[in-house]
Amino acid sequence: MLSALEAGVKGGKWFRLIDKVYASRTLAASWRQVHARAGAGGVDRQTVEQFAAQAEQHLQHLHEVLRTDTYVPQAVRRCWIEKVGSVEKRPLGIPTIKDRVVQGALRLVLEPIFEREFHPRSYGFRPGRGCKDALREVQRLLNEGSPYVVDADLKSYFDTIPHPELMADVKRHVAEGRVLKLLEAYLTQGVMDGLAQWTPEAGTPQGAVISPLLANLYLHPVDQAVAAAGYEAVRYADDLVILCRSAEEAQRALELLRKLITARKLTLHPEKTRIVDARQRGGFDFLGYHFERGMRWPRKKSLRKFKEAVRRRTRRTSGRSLAMVIVGLNPVLRGWFQYFKHSHWTTFRPLDAWIRMRLRSLLRQHSGRTGRGRGADHQRWPNSFFREQDLYGLVEAHRLASRSP
């Protein structure tokens, strides 16, 4: 894509982009990504499966309305996602399948342009980068003697990005009028929440395909300024930590960050933004892990989310056999371990015991007993019994992972 775009750049700004957006190859590539992610339908209630049944016709239609400049995005359907361990809910905007395809095509064209500029310490929603890369960098900086951490929390970041300033950032790179018009149309898409509908005055909707790219672009000047001042920052989307060698350095870094965030018309959460010494009790959370005293383990919210996923698959009233329960449970255990396998070894034994307790309770139900699996149930169904049933064991997985090179 970048080589195809090179002919349309003059003076650092990119022209002639809309034809790349509506190109059949670009729309088809975007549709494959939308199809793979699946997800719910938007306000028109069209599902991914329904779009797929006539994908060729839908893509041709999108090609034509984009080419003729008659494409108009539909409203975003608002839904609310529960936050684990909180009474609050997170707003999620769900575009229609057609709008997701067009947004994806737009991202495929713009991402190579912005990626040329993005800072290497930005890891969120970028090709070839991910959470594990950011976590490795944090661990490296801690190991090399930067224990004072500015643990920054951006208050409602995605919902408060100011549109004029964001579009000004885009225009520093892109001079294609029709692409700018498309982006502005997405930023001002109507939002439908039940019967209510309104037009947002700020923010980029969480759930929109293009949102992560725009969110990274808007924090790019902050990444640059923090690095230029000599501070070691690691950012994943709106999760940001700055690791320093002294408390005084951390205080200076926080003061700079506060100025930069205010200049961007954003807000640092006054209660959640703090300086911590990672060598002391308390530590800090980052991307699901808790870092403290040279160790790391899953943060409390990560454990609650994991246990809730296990509970859903081990309900005593499910009526499923133990074998079927384990078949459904193992992928959850395996996936969770792959992310949290670098936790301190004491993390895994109590979780294994708790999971087996859930399964013993289920077996009691099958045998006409009530209550939780405990006491004599440990002899009736010992740990070896669950190994024979091919239950994925976290302790054993950690032992094997520790041995591998």
Side-chain angles (χ1 to χ4, degrees), residues 45 70 80 91 109 137 198 227 306 311 324-325 356 371 376 390 401:
R45 300 295 174 178
T70 55
W80 296 87
V109 172
E137 186 61 16
W198 70 94
F306 171 66
R311 286 190 185 98
M324 290 302 297
V325 169
R356 289 192 296 265
D390 292 326

Side-chain angles (χ1 to χ4, degrees), residues 20 82 106 115 118 144 216 258 307 383 399 404:
K20 313 298 188 303
E82 292 186 1
L106 192 57
E115 272 293 322
F118 286 164
E144 293 183 359
N216 273 333
R258 187 172 283 118
K307 286 190 171 184
N383 295 353
R399 184 184 66 82
S404 62

